């Protein structure tokens, strides 16, 4: 059963590029990761070209869940509010088991309150891409070429030559740097003869995106062994425009094409929602997922980010969110290299930290999948025991794994962080993402922006970077454990990179140098 890719916004193919043109940075792929990467570099004043093999923004069923950390990144890029305004906000998840109509477990994904952004929004990927494309239109230093497909690569020590096919002909271009954001079937990765390492899970899942009216709450509902899909699992999410994402586990040995036929999907939908429900089909698809990654993300002048570099199960919403973490990590580092302020070897810190993120996401995704789809009698017995206890005993609830949802990853062994040198600390440690809090009429992360900043509690000194004085801001002082005179240094991707009880300008300068690659 072959289904054409639906169109959300037609754009039309761009003209053939100038043959042999030289570029500073080329991004292959115009999904959320590639477009966010372009926006990050554009806001830093860099010239960027983006190639999309499609000449439209595709609709269909793709990513929908975007985490608080991704919203924080988009805030830094100037599009966070647009995403929240368009999306469905949610913080609460519920888990059901068997025939129980009340949840055995509920969890709040934003336990630390007083932050600007919610735990998650649900927003169809095509809306995300449209918001990013509209934002990029304001930057004359960005060139998005629609309907331009990479068909050949020649990777050299000083750059990459790229062959591009368009509806009107072929051309070549040269780029100093190529960033591959072209998805799980990455053309760039294939042309370079590179591959993934990891697991493919022997199971199939049906996605049914439907349109229906209703007053269902904006929560994540997950079922183990429900009567409408016995022996399997199911998931329901609310999306904008009265669209709902329904996900049904199907098992391994199935006829995938038959499973997507409306006459086979609709009985599942009605069994879940009721015989009287009125709905329209948006998109049906069947997928098998993997937890795999490339061995390295940095290959000379070719850098990989997002699904081109790593793949995870959709349970936990770690795919696109992990890709956005990649570009957040990469943008400021590549800028340093492009400006000649750091050697190319500085990008090894991207390789280290992005692989740390990917490995944590793969670990959590693998554990979730093993819990959701036990492949042995012992595993199934363990899962059922956890579920049977969770309804009554709180100690069992953390063991319920319906998809550990995406959170920001820390880098405890980052070569860019300066170890603590004085005193016992609580709060946010070096290598961890900054924690938001209100400050006056604003928010702390908004004040941090995209450069180095020092958060200080009454420290008096000549800092080499802008200082955010949080004297009297009790919540920030508590969250960062900033006793009077203390300070912590935040790097451009809003990670804590050093902290001191008694900072000095020399210590701050040394920590900045280390974070910029001097000690990497």
């Amino acid at each position: 059963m072959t289904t054409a890719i639906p169109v959300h916004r037609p754009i039309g193919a761009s003209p053939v590029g100038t043959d042999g043109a030289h570029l500073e940075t080329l991004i292959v792929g115009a999904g959320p990761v590639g477009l966010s990467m372009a926006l990050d570099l554009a806001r830093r004043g860099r010239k960027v070209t983006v190639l999309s093999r499609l000449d439209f923004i595709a609709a269909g069923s793709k990513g929908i869940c975007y985490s608080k950390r991704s919203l924080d990144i988009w805030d830094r890029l100037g599009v966070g509010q647009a995403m929240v305004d368009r999306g469905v906000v949610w913080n609460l998840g519920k888990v059901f088991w068997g025939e129980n109509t009340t949840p055995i477990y509920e969890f709040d994904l934003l336990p630390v309150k007083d932050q600007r952004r919610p735990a998650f929004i649900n927003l169809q990927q095509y809306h995300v891409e449209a918001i990013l494309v509209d934002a990029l239109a304001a930057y004359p230093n960005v060139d998005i070429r629609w309907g331009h497909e990479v068909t050949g690569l020649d990777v050299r020590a000083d750059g990459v030559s790229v062959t591009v096919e368009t509806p009107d002909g072929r051309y070549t271009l040269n780029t100093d740097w190529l960033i591959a954001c072209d998805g799980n079937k990455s053309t760039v990765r294939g042309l370079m003869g590179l591959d993934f390492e990891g697991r493919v899970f022997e199971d199939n899942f049906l996605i049914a995106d439907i349109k229906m009216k209703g007053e269902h709450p904006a929560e994540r509902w997950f079922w183990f062994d429900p009567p409408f899909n016995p022996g399997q699992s199911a998931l329901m999410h609310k999306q904008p425009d009265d669209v709902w994402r329904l996900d049904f586990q199907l098992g391994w040995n199935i006829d995938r094409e038959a499973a997507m036929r409306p006459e086979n999907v609709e009985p599942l939908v009605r069994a879940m929602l009721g015989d009287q429900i009125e709905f329209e089909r948006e998109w049906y698809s069947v997928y098998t997922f993997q937890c795999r990654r490339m061995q390295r993300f940095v290959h000379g002048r070719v850098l990989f980010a997002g699904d081109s570099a790593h793949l995870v199960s959709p349970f936990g919403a770690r795919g696109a969110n992990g890709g956005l973490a990649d570009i957040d990590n990469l943008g400021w580092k590549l800028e340093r290299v492009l400006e000649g302020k750091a050697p190319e070897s500085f990008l090894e810190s991207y390789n280290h930290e992005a692989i740390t993120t990917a490995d944590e996401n793969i670990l959590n995704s693998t554990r979730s999948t093993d819990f959701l789809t036990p492949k042995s009698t012992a595993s199934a017995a363990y899962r059922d025991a956890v579920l049977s206890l969770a309804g009554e005993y709180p100690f069992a609830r953390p063991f319920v794994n319906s998809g550990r949802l995406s959170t920001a990853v820390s880098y405890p062994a980052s070569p860019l962080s300066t170890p603590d040198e004085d005193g016992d600390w609580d709060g946010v440690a070096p290598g961890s993402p900054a924690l938001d809090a209100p400050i006056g009429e604003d928010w702390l992360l908004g004040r941090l922006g995209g450069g180095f900043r020092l958060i200080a509690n009454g420290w008096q000194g000549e800092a080499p970077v802008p200082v955010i004085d949080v004297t009297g801001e009790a919540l920030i002082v508590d969250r960062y454990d900033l006793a009077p005179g203390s300070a912590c240094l935040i790097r451009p991707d809003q990670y804590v990179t050093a902290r001191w009880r008694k900072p000095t300008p020399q210590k701050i300068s040394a920590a900045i140098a280390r974070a910029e690659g001097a000690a990497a």
Side-chain angles (χ1 to χ4, degrees), residues 327-487:
I327 66 96
D328 185 50
N329 191 291
L330 177 58
W332 69 279
K333 296 175 179 179
L334 183 57
E335 178 193 31
R336 300 292 297 173
V337 174
L338 292 172
E339 290 180 342
K341 296 179 179 178
E344 289 185 28
S345 59
F346 183 39
L347 294 175
E348 280 301 306
S349 69
Y350 166 69
N351 189 70
H352 170 87
E353 293 180 344
I355 284 177
T356 298
T357 297
D359 283 348
E360 181 162 325
N361 285 333
I362 287 171
L363 175 64
N364 279 281
S365 186
T366 300
R367 287 174 174 171
S368 296
T369 304
D370 286 339
F371 192 88
L372 293 171
T373 61
K375 296 298 187 290
S376 70
T377 302
S379 296
Y382 166 77
R383 186 196 68 179
D384 290 348
V386 168
L387 293 172
S388 66
L389 292 168
E392 188 174 353
Y393 299 102
F395 82 87
R397 292 167 190 164
F399 297 99
V400 176
N401 195 337
S402 62
R404 296 272 187 259
L405 283 139
S406 177
T407 56
V409 175
S410 296
Y411 314 127
S414 172
L416 306 187
S417 295
T418 298
D420 292 335
E421 66 176 11
D422 43 13
D424 294 328
W425 285 85
D426 292 321
V428 185
S432 296
L435 189 58
D436 203 9
I439 179 169
E441 299 298 319
D442 202 352
W443 295 94
L444 179 60
L445 295 188
R447 292 274 189 94
L448 294 178
F452 282 94
R453 298 290 186 272
L454 191 74
I455 303 174
N457 183 10
W459 177 70
Q460 301 296 322
E462 292 295 327
V465 295
V467 177
I468 301 173
D469 189 349
V470 296
T471 302
E473 299 287 350
L475 191 56
I476 298 174
V477 168
D478 178 66
R479 289 182 175 177
Y480 289 84
D481 190 21
L482 292 176
S486 299

Side-chain angles (χ1 to χ4, degrees), residues 187-199:
T187 298
V188 174
R189 190 182 65 242
L191 289 171
M192 293 180 68
L194 302 171
D195 202 355
F196 286 137
E197 299 175 355
R199 291 175 60 187

Side-chain angles (χ1 to χ4, degrees), residues 68-89:
K68 180 189 177 302
R69 178 61 185 158
S70 293
L71 295 175
D72 292 341
I73 293 167
W74 279 330
D75 274 338
R76 183 176 60 76
L77 300 181
V79 293
Q81 191 61 51
M83 300 293 183
V84 173
D85 289 345
R86 192 69 181 86
V88 172
V89 171

